[in-house]
Each structure stands twice: as C-alpha cells, then as structure tokens.
C-alpha cells in the first residue's frame, strides 16, 4: 500500500463535481493503481504553484496521517499536474522553505 498525491490546478480537479463518477485525473489514476490511496489536492484559479506550495506546507501532516492509518515506511509519490502556461514560471519560481 502506498500513497499518491495529485497536486495541481482546476485541471486536476476537473469534473469532480460529478458525484461518484471517476472522471477526474486523480480518480482515473486511482482506478489504474492497486492497493494505493490516491489523494487529490487541486486549487482552482490560483495556478499550479499555489497548489504545490499549500501541499508542501502540509506534507508532513499528510504523511503522518497516512502512516497513522496504514503503518510507517510505505512508499509515497507526488504527481504535480500543471498547465503548459505555468512551465515558464518554473524557471524563476521561489521554492520556499
């Protein structure tokens, strides 16, 4: 059992308003992975860096909560989804603490 966290913009959360329909990016990813908890953490309208910054600030709590429920030492993967318009911003981005 591992943890995959999808972080991104409204693209990541797209169609999540369709209750119980696995049409969003994270849902589709989860459908193709066995024994993996997939979390979706998009922030609409703020760009992919804002979503990643929020995830980065909460990463220890997310990891600790996962370990509390599933045991320590499990693999963890972060999938950062971002639109092509954000690619240029990667060059000058401040990674923060």
């Amino acid at each position: 059992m591992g943890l995959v966290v999808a972080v991104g913009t409204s693209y990541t959360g797209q169609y999540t308003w369709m209750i119980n329909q696995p049409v969003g990016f994270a849902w589709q990813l989860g459908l193709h992975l066995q024994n993996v908890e997939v979390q979706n953490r998009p922030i609409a309208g703020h760009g992919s860096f804002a979503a990643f910054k929020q995830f980065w600030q909460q990463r220890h709590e997310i990891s600790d909560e996962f370990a509390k429920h599933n045991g320590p030492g499990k693999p963890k993967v972060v999938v950062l989804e971002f639109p092509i318009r954000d690619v240029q911003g990667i060059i000058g981005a401040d990674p923060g603490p």
Side-chain angles (χ1 to χ4, degrees):
M1 175 107 188
L3 172 66
V4 173
V5 179
V7 179
T9 64
S10 55
Y11 293 116
T12 310
Q14 194 169 16
Y15 304 116
T16 54
W17 53 269
M18 297 179 77
I19 299 173
N20 297 321
Q21 298 297 317
V23 294
F25 173 69
W27 282 48
Q28 284 295 312
L29 187 60
L31 287 173
H32 292 85
L33 300 173
Q34 295 181 9
N35 298 318
V36 174
E37 177 182 325
V38 177
Q39 296 182 0
N40 191 17
R41 297 178 177 270
I43 298 179
H46 297 283
S48 52
F49 296 116
F52 186 79
K53 182 178 181 180
Q54 181 178 25
F55 162 77
W56 193 253
Q57 291 169 342
Q58 298 172 349
R59 70 191 185 281
H60 297 296
E61 292 85 358
I62 294 166
S63 181
D64 291 347
E65 186 66 24
F66 177 75
K68 180 178 164 184
H69 293 300
N70 299 290
K74 307 292 185 194
K76 297 167 195 75
V77 176
V78 176
V79 178
L80 174 61
E81 170 273 314
F82 55 91
I84 193 74
R85 68 175 182 262
D86 285 354
V87 172
Q88 184 64 34
I90 293 172
I91 296 169
D94 178 10

